[in-house]
Amino acid sequence: MKNHLRQKLTKVEDFDNPKVSLEQYITPPGLAADLIFFAYMNQDLSGKVLDLGTGTGMLAVGAALTGSKVEAVDKDEKALSTARKNAEEIGVSDKINFKQKEVSKVSEEFNTVLMNPPFSQHSNEGISFWATATSVSARVYSVSPTSNRGGIKKFLQNTNHKVIDLEKFEIELPSTYGFHTKEGHKTEVDLILTEDTQK
């Protein structure tokens, strides 16, 4: 199943004109397949699933390919337009409800959150994703740069969530913006699973 997911997710289109202010990078299909497969094997895709900051729909499409119904939110309508097109072309548009919404405005309860929040250590945007995810969901599956691990663990100390699994990966991020001088660069990321200990 993981190889099938990876193969299908290679068809997900990237951002047409990515916004640096929103740190728009596509989640690598292999990493997305690992995250989705991990959640699927834990039976965490059978309830209410939220893709927080869906971008062009990589994680939402992946979850939908397992049969899950997903709500996918993003504040960028242009990204959502590409995400809807991706879902349609891969044949899962009937399983995903795309909504234009600020991450901080999400208040409905979910069983599982999937997310790949902004990586920047120079803003609190990534932590705002964590704040929403941990307040609305029993379980959170997230991609995060390994360099942010300490900050995330510190944030979680003030929530009901605790890290119950963590795996480190090395991924290659493509050259996405005009100021990038290399064709791509490798970066270490964590795939983190947290659980609300009160639910």
Side-chain angles (χ1 to χ4, degrees), residues 74-186:
D74 202 286
K75 67 180 180 181
D76 183 19
E77 182 54 49
K78 194 168 182 186
L80 284 172
S81 178
T82 303
R84 290 186 186 99
K85 181 182 169 189
N86 283 328
E88 194 169 317
E89 292 190 352
I90 294 171
V92 293
S93 57
D94 60 321
K95 295 188 177 299
I96 308 173
N97 179 26
F98 290 104
K99 282 186 180 177
Q100 184 180 17
K101 187 181 280 191
E102 292 272 356
V103 162
S104 60
K105 303 292 185 190
V106 176
S107 57
E108 188 182 342
E109 291 284 318
F110 292 87
N111 300 103
T112 304
V113 165
L114 312 173
M115 64 178 187
N116 181 5
F119 277 19
S120 176
Q121 298 180 59
H122 307 296
S123 78
N124 290 323
E125 191 68 19
I127 290 297
S128 74
F129 273 67
W130 276 102
T132 295
T134 54
S135 67
V136 303
S137 180
R139 285 195 153 202
V140 177
Y141 290 81
S142 180
V143 177
S144 175
T146 300
S147 57
N148 285 3
R149 186 186 297 173
I152 290 167
K153 285 186 172 180
K154 186 176 179 182
F155 168 79
L156 291 172
Q157 288 173 2
N158 297 313
T159 74
N160 291 330
H161 276 248
K162 68 173 184 178
V163 175
I164 60 170
D165 209 331
L166 187 152
E167 291 185 47
K168 192 162 84 169
F169 293 80
E170 186 176 78
I171 62 170
E172 182 149 342
L173 292 175
S175 177
T176 305
Y177 301 106
F179 58 79
H180 287 159
T181 55
K182 298 178 181 177
E183 286 197 6
H185 68 280
K186 288 184 166 58

